[in-house]
Structures are given as C-alpha cells and as structure tokens.
Amino acid sequence: MKKMGGAEKKRVRRSSAALQNGTRDPNSDTPPRKQAAKKDVFQLFAEKVRDHKDLVSRWAVLQETRVEYFRGKDFVSFLKNHPELKEILESDRNLETEDIANALLRKNLLVRCDRVVKTVRPGKKKLSTWPAHLEIFPDQVFSENDAFFAWTFVKRRPLWQTLLSFCWPVLTLAICLFPVYPHRCKLLILYSCAGILLLILSLLSLRATIFGVLYIIFGKRVWFFPNILAEEATLGELFRFCPKKDEEERPKWTARLFYALVAVLAILLLRHHAPDEAARARYQKRVYNIIDDVLEWSPSLALSGMMEKQQNAFNATESNDNFTDGSKVGSEETVLPDTGAETISEKHEGEEIGGVEDNDLHQHHQHDNI
C-alpha cells in the first residue's frame, strides 16, 4: 500500500474542511452545488415562462389530470419576442430554443404530449387547434410541428388566491345566516341575485337568438362568448367576447330550412299554451307569498310565534282538564235522580204490599166473627 504524499494529504484536509464548512474545493472535478444551481435556474426559468401572459396556453386532461399545456411553435415565437428571459439561465443563456426545451424535458419540468383524437371529426375540415384530451408522446424531444408540451410542476398560488380560499367558509356561513339578516339586507341580496340571474338568462337567450338567425339566414356558426358554458376555462377565457373561427363545413339549405320550421313551430306551440291572465295572477301571488314568508321571517317573530303556540297549547290543556272535571260532575248528578227514583218506587211497592196484607187480615177477622 502506497503512502500518500504531502500534497495529497493537504488536498484531502482542504476538501474535508471545505465539506465541514459548507464550501467546495475549486480543484474538485464534480461540483454538485453548480449542478443544483443550474437546476434551480431552469426551475426559475420555467416558472417565469409559465407565469408570462404572452405565452398562449390552454388546459386539457392528461391521464385523468388537468394540465396546462402550450404548442411548440408558440414557445419558439415567445422566446424570440422575449429574449431577456434567457438571462435567468446565466451560463446557459446562449443556448438555442430547442436546447432549452430539451433541457426542461430532461429535468421533468415539461412533458411532450400528443392529441388523443387523431382523425378529423365528421363535419369539420381539420383537427382541433387546442385538443381537450392529451396523451404522453413516446419520444420526449422538442418539436415545433404539431407538438404539445405540458407543465409538470405545480404552479405557485398567488397571494390573492390564498386569501380568497379563506373567504369561502365565511361566505358559506353568511349564506346560512341569511334568514336572520335585517329586512333591508334581505331585499338588497334578493334584488342583486335576481338581477344577476336575469342578466345571465338574457345573455344566453340573446346569444342563442343571434346564433339561430345567422345560422338560418347566412349559414354561419357564430357564438358570442364562446366559452361562457365551458367546463374547463380560465377566467379570461370564460368572458372572451370574440367568437371562434368557424372551422366546420357550411350547412345545406335543406338543414337550415328544417331548423327554421322547427323554430317557428316551437314559437307557435309556446304561444298557444301560454298561461292566461288568471293563471299568471295565481302564479304571481303564490310566488309573492313565498318571497314574503322568507323576507318577513325574523328570530323575534319566530320566538313570539313559539311562545304563542306554547300558550295556546297550555290553554287548550287547561280547557280539556276543565271539560273532563265538569263531565265527571255532571255524570254523578245524573246518577243521583235515578237512585232517588228507585227509592221512591221501592217505597211505593212496600206500601202496596203492606196494603194487601192489611186487607187479608181484615177479611180473615170478618170470617172468624161469622
């Protein structure tokens, strides 16, 4: 076994002391802190890119999990328009866009996906630009041609979302305490909710009417607020006003004529079966009664009503007891005359028997005298 030289011993001492002090020898071959720093740099770069508004992205379902994804060509154009974001990569800022994306793929910050439905649906000219269902692509290499990439890390939640999550229990409790609100607060909440509901129904009706008119007359499928009924959409996408581009084939005139006749028949049928004034007045009165019962209810009235019910129950119990005692006394009084009548009859019968016995004795005495 060879003995270590003085230079090697000094190097070993310096490396052990550096590890104890939390530093690293610059002469060592594998600097792990630089690798960790590079990993943190790419993580920070991915978070900045994901939070940027100019990178167009959508939400989809990947293996029963909702993920946020973007297209490869959008990522290339985004880095061309925002080259300052490469400064976050420090020593790797001179890498090409393809190399940066491949590095993100190797670090599992991205995953390449492919559309589940790969055939054009009947009635459409081409595949959907943003598919709603994705699957993992076998070859995890960056590409611009019809390639989709989903973020794999959990996005940091903003502060306002954290504060908003604490407001949901308070809102639930406030909804449960609606019956005990003052009358003015009840009216304000009622009219606000009714106004919002009327606005939503009016918007949906106007949207459907515009679509039907343009579809029947011009054969165009135009949906204003196209994502208003979407199940998976961000807040900005939900209230987007501009309609989507019609990618389907133009409908035939026979189909348009058929839908026009169906619409006319539906309108005539609804007009024929519409309720009359008397029925509308009954429905309105019934609804007003329900609303008045909800608005006029208060804890004081409820407690007073409970006290009145208890007082009425107590009075009814007392009246029932008095009625029971009176019935018992009346029954005893009605029995007494019957007993007297029996006594008088017994006396009358005794007098009759006594009279008969006297007559027999008188006749027997007369017979002895003869």
Side-chain angles (χ1 to χ4, degrees):
M1 184 175 179
K2 297 182 179 180
K3 296 182 179 180
M4 291 188 300
E8 293 180 354
K9 289 181 179 179
K10 291 180 180 179
R11 185 178 298 175
V12 170
R13 291 195 190 101
R14 284 199 303 268
S15 61
S16 60
L19 288 174
Q20 291 176 359
N21 296 330
T23 58
R24 183 71 181 176
D25 186 13
N27 296 325
S28 61
D29 296 332
T30 58
R33 283 202 173 272
K34 287 187 178 180
Q35 295 179 359
K38 287 184 179 180
K39 185 177 181 180
D40 294 337
V41 165
F42 278 98
Q43 176 75 30
L44 182 60
F45 174 79
E47 292 177 357
K48 290 290 184 181
V49 172
R50 185 176 182 179
D51 293 336
H52 208 286
K53 297 181 180 179
D54 291 343
L55 180 61
V56 183
S57 62
R58 294 289 187 277
W59 288 86
V61 178
L62 175 64
Q63 295 180 350
E64 299 181 357
T65 304
R66 292 186 70 246
V67 294
E68 186 179 6
Y69 73 100
F70 57 88
R71 298 180 297 183
K73 59 181 181 180
D74 293 334
F75 184 74
V76 173
S77 61
F78 171 76
L79 288 184
K80 286 182 180 179
N81 296 328
H82 300 279
E84 68 276 4
L85 292 177
K86 292 184 178 180
E87 299 296 331
I88 302 175
L89 299 176
E90 297 178 354
S91 61
D92 296 328
R93 59 180 176 272
N94 295 324
L95 293 176
E96 297 294 333
T97 303
E98 184 176 354
D99 296 333
I100 294 174
N102 288 326
L104 295 176
L105 289 170
R106 287 193 302 270
K107 295 178 181 297
N108 294 327
L109 297 173
L110 284 179
V111 59
R112 184 176 176 179
C113 307
D114 193 10
R115 62 179 77 243
V116 176
V117 180
K118 300 178 177 63
T119 58
V120 181
R121 293 181 179 179
K124 290 189 176 183
K125 299 179 182 179
K126 60 180 181 178
L127 293 172
S128 176
T129 306
W130 297 97
H133 297 273
L134 299 174
E135 61 183 4
I136 297 178
F137 193 74
D139 190 8
Q140 293 294 314
V141 180
F142 181 77
S143 176
E144 299 183 34
N145 301 323
D146 197 24
F148 305 99
F149 300 90
W151 301 106
T152 58
F153 60 92
V154 180
K155 188 176 181 180
R156 289 187 299 180
R157 182 175 298 180
L159 180 61
W160 66 272
Q161 290 185 1
T162 304
L163 296 177
L164 185 62
S165 62
F166 288 103
C167 294
W168 288 117
V170 179
L171 180 61
T172 305
L173 182 61
I175 293 173
C176 296
L177 294 177
F178 175 78
V180 300
Y181 287 172
H183 187 72
R184 292 184 179 179
C185 294
K186 289 182 180 180
L187 288 177
L188 178 62
I189 295 173
L190 176 64
Y191 289 137
S192 300
C193 294
I196 294 173
L197 182 61
L198 181 62
L199 177 63
I200 294 174
L201 294 178
S202 302
L203 178 62
L204 295 178
S205 301
L206 180 63
R207 178 173 175 265
T209 303
I210 294 174
F211 175 82
V213 171
L214 295 179
Y215 180 84
I216 292 173
I217 297 177
F218 301 103
K220 299 290 185 180
R221 301 177 181 87
V222 180
W223 284 109
F224 292 99
F225 295 101
N227 300 323
I228 196 67
L229 298 177
E231 296 181 358
E232 298 177 355
T234 60
L235 192 62
E237 295 175 355
L238 189 65
F239 294 101
R240 191 181 67 177
F241 177 76
C242 299
K244 293 182 179 179
K245 185 178 179 181
D246 189 9
E247 299 177 354
E248 299 182 8
E249 297 180 357
R250 188 173 181 178
K252 298 179 180 180
W253 66 272
T254 53
R256 292 155 56 189
L257 180 61
F258 171 76
Y259 287 119
L261 293 176
V262 170
V264 172
L265 290 176
I267 294 173
L268 293 177
L269 187 63
L270 292 175
R271 183 181 177 84
H272 178 70
H273 292 281
D276 54 1
E277 289 294 334
R280 283 196 293 268
R282 290 196 302 270
Y283 298 152
Q284 185 178 5
K285 185 177 180 180
R286 187 180 303 172
V287 172
Y288 280 170
N289 291 335
I290 296 173
I291 295 175
D292 291 340
D293 291 340
V294 175
L295 294 178
E296 293 177 358
W297 187 91
S298 65
S300 58
L301 291 177
L303 292 175
S304 62
M306 292 173 62
M307 295 299 293
E308 289 178 0
K309 288 181 179 179
Q310 291 180 359
Q311 187 66 28
N312 294 332
F314 181 72
N315 295 333
T317 305
E318 285 187 348
S319 62
N320 290 332
D321 294 339
N322 294 333
F323 178 76
T324 305
D325 296 338
S327 62
K328 288 181 179 179
V329 173
S331 62
E332 291 176 356
E333 291 178 353
T334 52
V335 169
L336 288 175
D338 295 339
T339 307
E342 290 177 357
T343 306
I344 294 170
S345 60
E346 289 176 357
K347 289 181 180 180
H348 183 68
E349 290 178 356
E351 290 178 355
E352 289 182 351
I353 293 171
V356 172
E357 291 178 354
D358 293 338
N359 292 329
D360 293 338
L361 290 174
H362 182 67
Q363 291 178 359
H364 181 69
H365 183 69
Q366 289 179 356
H367 180 69
D368 292 336
N369 293 328
I370 296 171

